[in-house]
Short mmCIF file of all heavy atoms in Angstrom, two decimals:
data_model
loop_
_atom_site.label_atom_id
_atom_site.label_comp_id
_atom_site.label_asym_id
_atom_site.label_seq_id
_atom_site.Cartn_x
_atom_site.Cartn_y
_atom_site.Cartn_z
N MET A 1 0.85 -8.81 -10.77
CA MET A 1 1.95 -8.47 -9.89
C MET A 1 2.91 -9.74 -9.71
O MET A 1 2.42 -10.81 -9.69
CB MET A 1 1.36 -8.09 -8.51
CG MET A 1 2.47 -7.81 -7.51
SD MET A 1 2.23 -6.47 -6.30
CE MET A 1 1.07 -7.16 -5.21
N LEU A 2 4.14 -9.46 -9.66
CA LEU A 2 5.10 -10.48 -9.62
C LEU A 2 5.18 -11.07 -8.14
O LEU A 2 4.95 -10.31 -7.21
CB LEU A 2 6.52 -9.96 -9.97
CG LEU A 2 6.61 -9.49 -11.38
CD1 LEU A 2 7.96 -8.90 -11.56
CD2 LEU A 2 6.43 -10.60 -12.40
N ASP A 3 5.38 -12.32 -8.03
CA ASP A 3 5.54 -12.94 -6.69
C ASP A 3 6.97 -12.66 -6.18
O ASP A 3 7.82 -12.08 -6.89
CB ASP A 3 5.27 -14.46 -6.65
CG ASP A 3 6.24 -15.26 -7.48
OD1 ASP A 3 7.30 -14.73 -7.90
OD2 ASP A 3 5.96 -16.40 -7.80
N GLN A 4 7.18 -12.93 -4.94
CA GLN A 4 8.36 -12.58 -4.24
C GLN A 4 9.63 -13.17 -4.93
O GLN A 4 10.63 -12.47 -5.07
CB GLN A 4 8.31 -13.04 -2.78
CG GLN A 4 9.67 -12.80 -2.01
CD GLN A 4 9.64 -13.40 -0.72
OE1 GLN A 4 8.60 -13.84 -0.18
NE2 GLN A 4 10.80 -13.51 -0.09
N ALA A 5 9.59 -14.42 -5.27
CA ALA A 5 10.74 -15.06 -5.90
C ALA A 5 11.13 -14.40 -7.20
O ALA A 5 12.26 -14.17 -7.49
CB ALA A 5 10.53 -16.54 -6.11
N THR A 6 10.07 -14.08 -7.99
CA THR A 6 10.38 -13.43 -9.35
C THR A 6 10.86 -12.02 -9.07
O THR A 6 11.87 -11.63 -9.73
CB THR A 6 9.03 -13.37 -10.16
OG1 THR A 6 8.53 -14.67 -10.27
CG2 THR A 6 9.28 -12.77 -11.50
N GLN A 7 10.28 -11.30 -8.14
CA GLN A 7 10.74 -9.96 -7.93
C GLN A 7 12.17 -9.92 -7.40
O GLN A 7 12.94 -9.13 -7.89
CB GLN A 7 9.80 -9.28 -6.88
CG GLN A 7 10.04 -7.77 -6.69
CD GLN A 7 9.70 -7.05 -7.97
OE1 GLN A 7 8.72 -7.36 -8.70
NE2 GLN A 7 10.35 -5.93 -8.23
N SER A 8 12.49 -10.70 -6.44
CA SER A 8 13.86 -10.73 -5.88
C SER A 8 14.86 -11.26 -6.90
O SER A 8 15.98 -10.83 -6.86
CB SER A 8 13.95 -11.53 -4.57
OG SER A 8 13.67 -12.80 -4.76
N ALA A 9 14.45 -12.14 -7.81
CA ALA A 9 15.31 -12.62 -8.87
C ALA A 9 15.78 -11.53 -9.83
O ALA A 9 16.80 -11.55 -10.37
CB ALA A 9 14.69 -13.74 -9.62
N LYS A 10 14.91 -10.55 -9.95
CA LYS A 10 15.22 -9.41 -10.87
C LYS A 10 16.21 -8.42 -10.24
O LYS A 10 16.84 -7.68 -10.95
CB LYS A 10 13.92 -8.57 -11.12
CG LYS A 10 12.95 -9.29 -12.05
CD LYS A 10 11.68 -8.42 -12.22
CE LYS A 10 11.90 -7.02 -12.62
NZ LYS A 10 10.77 -6.24 -12.84
N MET A 11 16.40 -8.54 -8.99
CA MET A 11 17.32 -7.59 -8.29
C MET A 11 18.74 -8.21 -8.13
O MET A 11 18.82 -9.41 -7.92
CB MET A 11 16.85 -7.21 -6.92
CG MET A 11 15.52 -6.46 -6.90
SD MET A 11 15.04 -6.08 -5.20
CE MET A 11 13.43 -5.67 -5.61
N THR A 12 19.68 -7.41 -8.28
CA THR A 12 21.09 -7.91 -8.13
C THR A 12 21.36 -8.08 -6.54
O THR A 12 20.69 -7.49 -5.75
CB THR A 12 22.13 -6.97 -8.69
OG1 THR A 12 22.11 -5.68 -7.90
CG2 THR A 12 21.85 -6.67 -10.19
N ALA A 13 22.39 -8.76 -6.28
CA ALA A 13 22.80 -8.94 -4.86
C ALA A 13 23.18 -7.57 -4.24
O ALA A 13 22.80 -7.32 -3.10
CB ALA A 13 23.95 -9.89 -4.72
N ARG A 14 23.81 -6.74 -5.04
CA ARG A 14 24.16 -5.43 -4.56
C ARG A 14 22.96 -4.61 -4.25
O ARG A 14 22.82 -3.80 -3.22
CB ARG A 14 25.07 -4.71 -5.53
CG ARG A 14 25.65 -3.36 -5.04
CD ARG A 14 26.46 -3.46 -3.81
NE ARG A 14 27.82 -3.73 -4.11
CZ ARG A 14 28.80 -3.85 -3.27
NH1 ARG A 14 28.55 -3.78 -2.01
NH2 ARG A 14 30.03 -4.06 -3.62
N GLU A 15 21.95 -4.64 -5.11
CA GLU A 15 20.71 -3.90 -4.94
C GLU A 15 20.03 -4.33 -3.62
O GLU A 15 19.50 -3.51 -2.88
CB GLU A 15 19.77 -4.03 -6.12
CG GLU A 15 20.20 -3.29 -7.40
CD GLU A 15 19.44 -3.64 -8.60
OE1 GLU A 15 18.74 -4.62 -8.67
OE2 GLU A 15 19.58 -2.79 -9.57
N LEU A 16 20.02 -5.67 -3.39
CA LEU A 16 19.43 -6.09 -2.14
C LEU A 16 20.25 -5.63 -0.92
O LEU A 16 19.66 -5.26 0.14
CB LEU A 16 19.38 -7.63 -2.17
CG LEU A 16 18.28 -8.20 -3.13
CD1 LEU A 16 18.47 -9.74 -3.22
CD2 LEU A 16 16.87 -7.80 -2.70
N GLU A 17 21.56 -5.49 -1.06
CA GLU A 17 22.38 -4.99 0.08
C GLU A 17 21.94 -3.51 0.31
O GLU A 17 21.91 -3.05 1.43
CB GLU A 17 23.88 -5.06 -0.31
CG GLU A 17 24.45 -6.50 -0.23
CD GLU A 17 25.82 -6.56 -0.68
OE1 GLU A 17 26.26 -5.82 -1.61
OE2 GLU A 17 26.58 -7.40 -0.03
N VAL A 18 21.81 -2.76 -0.82
CA VAL A 18 21.43 -1.32 -0.70
C VAL A 18 20.04 -1.27 -0.01
O VAL A 18 19.76 -0.45 0.86
CB VAL A 18 21.41 -0.65 -2.03
CG1 VAL A 18 20.83 0.74 -1.97
CG2 VAL A 18 22.87 -0.48 -2.59
N LEU A 19 19.14 -2.08 -0.48
CA LEU A 19 17.74 -2.16 0.10
C LEU A 19 17.81 -2.38 1.58
O LEU A 19 17.12 -1.72 2.34
CB LEU A 19 16.95 -3.20 -0.66
CG LEU A 19 15.42 -3.23 -0.24
CD1 LEU A 19 14.71 -1.92 -0.52
CD2 LEU A 19 14.77 -4.36 -0.96
N MET A 20 18.66 -3.33 1.99
CA MET A 20 18.78 -3.56 3.42
C MET A 20 19.39 -2.42 4.24
O MET A 20 18.91 -2.05 5.35
CB MET A 20 19.64 -4.82 3.72
CG MET A 20 19.06 -6.12 3.20
SD MET A 20 17.39 -6.47 3.89
CE MET A 20 17.82 -6.66 5.62
N GLY A 21 20.31 -1.69 3.60
CA GLY A 21 20.89 -0.48 4.26
C GLY A 21 19.80 0.59 4.40
O GLY A 21 19.75 1.28 5.44
N LEU A 22 19.04 0.77 3.34
CA LEU A 22 17.91 1.74 3.43
C LEU A 22 16.94 1.33 4.56
O LEU A 22 16.48 2.26 5.31
CB LEU A 22 17.15 1.84 2.11
CG LEU A 22 17.97 2.46 0.96
CD1 LEU A 22 17.19 2.18 -0.35
CD2 LEU A 22 18.28 3.82 1.14
N ALA A 23 16.67 0.10 4.62
CA ALA A 23 15.73 -0.46 5.69
C ALA A 23 16.32 -0.16 7.09
O ALA A 23 15.54 0.08 7.98
CB ALA A 23 15.47 -1.93 5.49
N LYS A 24 17.58 -0.15 7.20
CA LYS A 24 18.25 0.17 8.50
C LYS A 24 18.28 1.67 8.80
O LYS A 24 18.77 2.05 9.85
CB LYS A 24 19.70 -0.42 8.51
CG LYS A 24 19.74 -1.95 8.58
CD LYS A 24 21.20 -2.38 8.48
CE LYS A 24 21.22 -3.95 8.39
NZ LYS A 24 22.67 -4.38 8.21
N GLY A 25 17.87 2.42 7.83
CA GLY A 25 17.84 3.90 8.03
C GLY A 25 19.17 4.57 7.70
O GLY A 25 19.32 5.72 8.00
N LEU A 26 20.04 3.83 6.99
CA LEU A 26 21.38 4.48 6.56
C LEU A 26 21.16 5.40 5.46
O LEU A 26 20.30 5.19 4.61
CB LEU A 26 22.30 3.41 6.20
CG LEU A 26 22.72 2.42 7.31
CD1 LEU A 26 23.62 1.34 6.72
CD2 LEU A 26 23.42 3.13 8.44
N SER A 27 22.02 6.49 5.38
CA SER A 27 21.99 7.34 4.34
C SER A 27 22.85 6.74 3.11
O SER A 27 23.49 5.75 3.35
CB SER A 27 22.67 8.67 4.70
OG SER A 27 24.00 8.45 4.98
N ASN A 28 22.83 7.45 1.97
CA ASN A 28 23.61 7.02 0.92
C ASN A 28 25.09 6.98 1.33
O ASN A 28 25.76 5.97 0.99
CB ASN A 28 23.48 7.96 -0.34
CG ASN A 28 22.22 7.75 -1.11
OD1 ASN A 28 21.39 6.87 -0.79
ND2 ASN A 28 22.06 8.55 -2.16
N GLN A 29 25.52 7.91 2.06
CA GLN A 29 26.84 7.99 2.46
C GLN A 29 27.15 6.80 3.45
O GLN A 29 28.20 6.15 3.35
CB GLN A 29 27.16 9.31 3.29
CG GLN A 29 28.57 9.49 3.75
CD GLN A 29 29.55 9.61 2.63
OE1 GLN A 29 29.30 10.29 1.67
NE2 GLN A 29 30.79 9.01 2.83
N GLY A 30 26.27 6.53 4.36
CA GLY A 30 26.44 5.41 5.31
C GLY A 30 26.58 4.03 4.62
O GLY A 30 27.34 3.22 4.92
N ILE A 31 25.65 3.86 3.65
CA ILE A 31 25.63 2.63 2.84
C ILE A 31 26.92 2.49 2.03
O ILE A 31 27.52 1.50 1.95
CB ILE A 31 24.34 2.50 1.96
CG1 ILE A 31 23.10 2.53 2.80
CG2 ILE A 31 24.43 1.22 1.09
CD1 ILE A 31 21.86 2.70 1.97
N SER A 32 27.34 3.62 1.46
CA SER A 32 28.53 3.57 0.59
C SER A 32 29.72 3.25 1.42
O SER A 32 30.66 2.54 1.00
CB SER A 32 28.74 4.97 -0.17
OG SER A 32 29.10 5.99 0.76
N GLU A 33 29.78 3.77 2.67
CA GLU A 33 30.97 3.50 3.53
C GLU A 33 30.93 1.94 3.89
O GLU A 33 32.00 1.30 3.93
CB GLU A 33 30.94 4.33 4.79
CG GLU A 33 31.27 5.75 4.48
CD GLU A 33 31.09 6.68 5.77
OE1 GLU A 33 30.70 6.20 6.76
OE2 GLU A 33 31.32 7.90 5.52
N GLN A 34 29.72 1.42 4.20
CA GLN A 34 29.64 0.03 4.49
C GLN A 34 30.02 -0.90 3.38
O GLN A 34 30.64 -1.96 3.57
CB GLN A 34 28.18 -0.22 5.00
CG GLN A 34 27.93 -1.54 5.61
CD GLN A 34 26.45 -1.65 6.08
OE1 GLN A 34 25.54 -1.31 5.27
NE2 GLN A 34 26.28 -2.05 7.30
N LEU A 35 29.62 -0.50 2.14
CA LEU A 35 29.83 -1.35 1.03
C LEU A 35 31.12 -1.08 0.24
O LEU A 35 31.54 -1.82 -0.71
CB LEU A 35 28.67 -1.33 0.06
CG LEU A 35 27.34 -1.78 0.65
CD1 LEU A 35 26.20 -1.62 -0.38
CD2 LEU A 35 27.44 -3.15 1.15
N GLY A 36 31.80 -0.02 0.58
CA GLY A 36 33.05 0.40 -0.11
C GLY A 36 32.91 0.91 -1.49
O GLY A 36 33.78 0.69 -2.35
N VAL A 37 31.78 1.70 -1.80
CA VAL A 37 31.52 2.29 -3.09
C VAL A 37 31.20 3.72 -2.87
O VAL A 37 31.01 4.20 -1.62
CB VAL A 37 30.46 1.55 -3.89
CG1 VAL A 37 30.85 0.14 -4.13
CG2 VAL A 37 29.11 1.56 -3.10
N SER A 38 31.08 4.50 -3.86
CA SER A 38 30.76 5.97 -3.71
C SER A 38 29.20 6.13 -3.50
O SER A 38 28.36 5.29 -3.83
CB SER A 38 31.07 6.68 -4.99
OG SER A 38 30.14 6.47 -6.06
N PRO A 39 28.89 7.22 -2.80
CA PRO A 39 27.49 7.55 -2.57
C PRO A 39 26.65 7.66 -3.94
O PRO A 39 25.45 7.28 -3.97
CB PRO A 39 27.54 8.94 -1.93
CG PRO A 39 28.87 8.96 -1.24
CD PRO A 39 29.75 8.22 -2.21
N LYS A 40 27.28 8.10 -4.99
CA LYS A 40 26.64 8.14 -6.28
C LYS A 40 26.22 6.80 -6.80
O LYS A 40 25.11 6.58 -7.34
CB LYS A 40 27.60 8.83 -7.28
CG LYS A 40 26.94 8.97 -8.70
CD LYS A 40 25.72 9.88 -8.70
CE LYS A 40 25.24 9.97 -10.16
NZ LYS A 40 23.84 10.31 -10.22
N THR A 41 27.08 5.79 -6.52
CA THR A 41 26.74 4.38 -6.89
C THR A 41 25.53 3.93 -6.11
O THR A 41 24.67 3.24 -6.67
CB THR A 41 27.98 3.49 -6.58
OG1 THR A 41 29.10 3.93 -7.35
CG2 THR A 41 27.58 2.12 -7.00
N ILE A 42 25.50 4.29 -4.83
CA ILE A 42 24.33 3.89 -4.05
C ILE A 42 23.13 4.50 -4.55
O ILE A 42 21.96 3.91 -4.71
CB ILE A 42 24.56 4.26 -2.56
CG1 ILE A 42 25.77 3.57 -2.02
CG2 ILE A 42 23.28 3.97 -1.74
CD1 ILE A 42 25.74 2.00 -2.04
N ASP A 43 23.15 5.82 -4.93
CA ASP A 43 22.00 6.51 -5.53
C ASP A 43 21.59 5.82 -6.85
O ASP A 43 20.33 5.71 -7.09
CB ASP A 43 22.39 8.00 -5.84
CG ASP A 43 21.15 8.86 -6.21
OD1 ASP A 43 20.20 8.78 -5.46
OD2 ASP A 43 21.25 9.43 -7.33
N SER A 44 22.48 5.37 -7.63
CA SER A 44 22.13 4.59 -8.86
C SER A 44 21.41 3.32 -8.54
O SER A 44 20.40 3.01 -9.18
CB SER A 44 23.35 4.32 -9.70
OG SER A 44 23.94 5.53 -10.15
N HIS A 45 21.86 2.64 -7.55
CA HIS A 45 21.22 1.38 -7.15
C HIS A 45 19.82 1.66 -6.63
O HIS A 45 18.87 0.92 -6.94
CB HIS A 45 22.01 0.63 -6.03
CG HIS A 45 23.27 -0.03 -6.55
ND1 HIS A 45 23.28 -0.89 -7.62
CD2 HIS A 45 24.60 0.06 -6.15
CE1 HIS A 45 24.50 -1.30 -7.87
NE2 HIS A 45 25.32 -0.70 -6.94
N ARG A 46 19.70 2.68 -5.76
CA ARG A 46 18.36 3.10 -5.30
C ARG A 46 17.41 3.45 -6.42
O ARG A 46 16.27 2.98 -6.44
CB ARG A 46 18.44 4.20 -4.28
CG ARG A 46 17.07 4.58 -3.68
CD ARG A 46 17.02 5.96 -3.11
NE ARG A 46 18.20 6.39 -2.43
CZ ARG A 46 18.14 6.81 -1.08
NH1 ARG A 46 17.06 6.84 -0.42
NH2 ARG A 46 19.30 7.23 -0.55
N THR A 47 17.85 4.15 -7.44
CA THR A 47 17.08 4.55 -8.57
C THR A 47 16.67 3.30 -9.33
O THR A 47 15.53 3.15 -9.64
CB THR A 47 17.93 5.46 -9.55
OG1 THR A 47 18.18 6.71 -8.72
CG2 THR A 47 17.09 5.84 -10.73
N ASN A 48 17.59 2.33 -9.46
CA ASN A 48 17.21 1.11 -10.21
C ASN A 48 16.20 0.28 -9.43
O ASN A 48 15.31 -0.23 -10.00
CB ASN A 48 18.49 0.21 -10.42
CG ASN A 48 19.45 0.83 -11.42
OD1 ASN A 48 18.99 1.62 -12.28
ND2 ASN A 48 20.71 0.46 -11.38
N LEU A 49 16.33 0.23 -8.10
CA LEU A 49 15.34 -0.44 -7.28
C LEU A 49 13.93 0.18 -7.41
O LEU A 49 12.97 -0.54 -7.48
CB LEU A 49 15.80 -0.37 -5.83
CG LEU A 49 16.96 -1.36 -5.37
CD1 LEU A 49 17.48 -0.94 -4.01
CD2 LEU A 49 16.38 -2.82 -5.36
N MET A 50 13.92 1.46 -7.39
CA MET A 50 12.68 2.20 -7.44
C MET A 50 11.96 1.89 -8.87
O MET A 50 10.80 1.64 -8.93
CB MET A 50 12.83 3.71 -7.22
CG MET A 50 13.13 3.91 -5.75
SD MET A 50 13.67 5.61 -5.38
CE MET A 50 12.28 6.58 -5.98
N ARG A 51 12.84 1.89 -9.89
CA ARG A 51 12.26 1.64 -11.21
C ARG A 51 11.74 0.17 -11.32
O ARG A 51 10.66 -0.06 -11.74
CB ARG A 51 13.42 1.88 -12.30
CG ARG A 51 12.97 1.61 -13.68
CD ARG A 51 14.11 1.80 -14.73
NE ARG A 51 15.34 1.18 -14.33
CZ ARG A 51 15.63 -0.11 -14.47
NH1 ARG A 51 14.71 -0.95 -15.00
NH2 ARG A 51 16.84 -0.59 -14.09
N LYS A 52 12.53 -0.74 -10.79
CA LYS A 52 12.14 -2.18 -10.87
C LYS A 52 10.97 -2.43 -10.05
O LYS A 52 10.12 -3.32 -10.37
CB LYS A 52 13.29 -3.09 -10.41
CG LYS A 52 14.45 -3.14 -11.32
CD LYS A 52 15.59 -4.05 -10.79
CE LYS A 52 16.74 -4.07 -11.72
NZ LYS A 52 17.77 -4.97 -11.24
N MET A 53 10.74 -1.69 -8.96
CA MET A 53 9.52 -1.96 -8.08
C MET A 53 8.39 -1.03 -8.46
O MET A 53 7.37 -1.04 -7.79
CB MET A 53 9.94 -1.92 -6.70
CG MET A 53 10.94 -3.00 -6.28
SD MET A 53 11.21 -3.38 -4.57
CE MET A 53 9.59 -3.99 -4.12
N ALA A 54 8.63 -0.16 -9.42
CA ALA A 54 7.57 0.73 -9.91
C ALA A 54 7.06 1.67 -8.76
O ALA A 54 5.80 1.79 -8.59
CB ALA A 54 6.44 -0.03 -10.57
N VAL A 55 8.01 2.30 -8.11
CA VAL A 55 7.65 3.28 -7.05
C VAL A 55 8.35 4.53 -7.26
O VAL A 55 9.35 4.63 -8.06
CB VAL A 55 7.90 2.71 -5.61
CG1 VAL A 55 7.06 1.49 -5.33
CG2 VAL A 55 9.42 2.44 -5.42
N ASN A 56 7.91 5.66 -6.63
CA ASN A 56 8.47 6.92 -6.88
C ASN A 56 9.17 7.58 -5.69
O ASN A 56 9.68 8.70 -5.72
CB ASN A 56 7.45 7.92 -7.33
CG ASN A 56 6.86 7.51 -8.70
OD1 ASN A 56 7.67 7.18 -9.58
ND2 ASN A 56 5.56 7.52 -8.85
N SER A 57 9.24 6.80 -4.55
CA SER A 57 9.87 7.39 -3.36
C SER A 57 10.57 6.20 -2.62
O SER A 57 10.28 5.04 -2.73
CB SER A 57 8.94 8.14 -2.42
OG SER A 57 8.05 7.19 -1.77
N THR A 58 11.59 6.61 -1.77
CA THR A 58 12.23 5.61 -0.98
C THR A 58 11.32 4.99 0.03
O THR A 58 11.33 3.83 0.30
CB THR A 58 13.47 6.21 -0.23
OG1 THR A 58 14.33 6.79 -1.30
CG2 THR A 58 14.21 5.23 0.55
N ALA A 59 10.45 5.86 0.62
CA ALA A 59 9.48 5.35 1.63
C ALA A 59 8.56 4.28 0.99
O ALA A 59 8.38 3.15 1.57
CB ALA A 59 8.67 6.47 2.21
N THR A 60 8.06 4.56 -0.18
CA THR A 60 7.23 3.56 -0.86
C THR A 60 7.95 2.33 -1.24
O THR A 60 7.46 1.24 -1.13
CB THR A 60 6.59 4.22 -2.08
OG1 THR A 60 5.95 5.45 -1.75
CG2 THR A 60 5.52 3.34 -2.68
N LEU A 61 9.22 2.51 -1.65
CA LEU A 61 10.12 1.39 -1.93
C LEU A 61 10.26 0.46 -0.74
O LEU A 61 10.10 -0.77 -0.89
CB LEU A 61 11.49 1.91 -2.35
CG LEU A 61 12.58 0.82 -2.48
CD1 LEU A 61 12.34 -0.07 -3.71
CD2 LEU A 61 13.95 1.55 -2.71
N LEU A 62 10.43 1.02 0.43
CA LEU A 62 10.62 0.19 1.63
C LEU A 62 9.27 -0.47 2.01
O LEU A 62 9.31 -1.65 2.43
CB LEU A 62 11.17 1.02 2.79
CG LEU A 62 12.56 1.57 2.63
CD1 LEU A 62 12.92 2.54 3.75
CD2 LEU A 62 13.49 0.37 2.61
N VAL A 63 8.16 0.25 1.90
CA VAL A 63 6.86 -0.35 2.26
C VAL A 63 6.63 -1.62 1.32
O VAL A 63 6.17 -2.64 1.79
CB VAL A 63 5.77 0.70 2.14
CG1 VAL A 63 4.34 0.04 2.19
CG2 VAL A 63 5.85 1.72 3.23
N LYS A 64 6.83 -1.34 0.03
CA LYS A 64 6.61 -2.40 -0.95
C LYS A 64 7.52 -3.63 -0.67
O LYS A 64 7.10 -4.80 -0.84
CB LYS A 64 6.80 -1.88 -2.37
CG LYS A 64 6.25 -2.87 -3.39
CD LYS A 64 6.11 -2.21 -4.78
CE LYS A 64 5.54 -3.14 -5.78
NZ LYS A 64 5.33 -2.53 -7.07
N ALA A 65 8.75 -3.34 -0.37
CA ALA A 65 9.75 -4.41 -0.14
C ALA A 65 9.32 -5.24 1.14
O ALA A 65 9.40 -6.48 1.18
CB ALA A 65 11.11 -3.84 0.09
N ILE A 66 8.74 -4.55 2.20
CA ILE A 66 8.33 -5.24 3.33
C ILE A 66 7.09 -6.09 2.98
O ILE A 66 6.97 -7.24 3.38
CB ILE A 66 7.98 -4.23 4.44
CG1 ILE A 66 9.30 -3.68 5.01
CG2 ILE A 66 7.17 -4.87 5.58
CD1 ILE A 66 9.09 -2.47 5.84
N ARG A 67 6.15 -5.49 2.25
CA ARG A 67 4.94 -6.20 1.84
C ARG A 67 5.22 -7.47 1.10
O ARG A 67 4.55 -8.44 1.10
CB ARG A 67 4.00 -5.33 1.13
CG ARG A 67 3.27 -4.31 2.00
CD ARG A 67 2.27 -3.53 1.19
NE ARG A 67 1.60 -2.61 2.09
CZ ARG A 67 1.06 -1.42 1.76
NH1 ARG A 67 1.07 -1.15 0.40
NH2 ARG A 67 0.43 -0.64 2.59
N GLU A 68 6.28 -7.39 0.22
CA GLU A 68 6.65 -8.52 -0.66
C GLU A 68 7.66 -9.47 0.01
O GLU A 68 8.06 -10.40 -0.64
CB GLU A 68 7.20 -7.94 -1.96
CG GLU A 68 6.06 -7.24 -2.74
CD GLU A 68 6.52 -6.85 -4.22
OE1 GLU A 68 7.61 -7.26 -4.66
OE2 GLU A 68 5.75 -6.15 -4.79
N GLY A 69 7.96 -9.15 1.28
CA GLY A 69 8.85 -10.11 1.98
C GLY A 69 10.33 -10.05 1.60
O GLY A 69 11.06 -10.97 1.94
N LEU A 70 10.72 -8.90 1.00
CA LEU A 70 12.13 -8.84 0.56
C LEU A 70 13.03 -8.41 1.73
O LEU A 70 14.20 -8.68 1.70
CB LEU A 70 12.23 -7.81 -0.59
CG LEU A 70 11.53 -8.21 -1.88
CD1 LEU A 70 11.60 -7.10 -2.92
CD2 LEU A 70 12.12 -9.49 -2.44
N ILE A 71 12.45 -7.69 2.72
CA ILE A 71 13.20 -7.33 3.86
C ILE A 71 12.37 -7.55 5.11
O ILE A 71 11.14 -7.78 5.05
CB ILE A 71 13.59 -5.79 3.78
CG1 ILE A 71 12.37 -4.89 3.68
CG2 ILE A 71 14.60 -5.55 2.79
CD1 ILE A 71 12.73 -3.37 3.71
#
């Protein structure tokens, strides 16, 4: 398993912003309005995050991010 520094280094700044929005309970629409991009772009970032962290759901993504100290 990768350590926190290695894991967060693999993520882009925008992906980390999306992750923080998800952690706040925002929807794709809410995050997209906050960041000034389309909801589809947010969905793409969420998909990339889930792939990079090897999880299959947003809930698991958030749990893993908390455990690894990313949020």
Side-chain angles (χ1 to χ4, degrees):
M1 179 146 70
L2 298 174
D3 65 13
Q4 175 187 348
T6 304
Q7 191 65 34
S8 61
K10 288 176 51 177
M11 293 183 198
T12 66
R14 184 63 88 179
E15 288 170 343
L16 290 172
E17 289 175 322
V18 170
L19 185 60
M20 293 304 294
L22 293 171
K24 291 177 183 176
L26 297 174
S27 65
N28 283 359
Q29 182 67 38
I31 299 169
S32 72
E33 289 172 2
Q34 189 176 50
L35 299 180
V37 297
S38 78
K40 178 65 178 156
T41 300
I42 300 302
D43 188 53
S44 295
H45 287 307
R46 182 198 321 236
T47 300
N48 289 339
L49 284 164
M50 290 170 58
R51 181 182 46 80
K52 288 178 180 183
M53 295 194 70
V55 297
N56 295 315
S57 71
T58 301
T60 308
L61 172 66
L62 292 172
V63 169
K64 191 167 184 177
I66 290 168
R67 286 185 179 154
E68 294 187 9
L70 298 173
I71 54 175

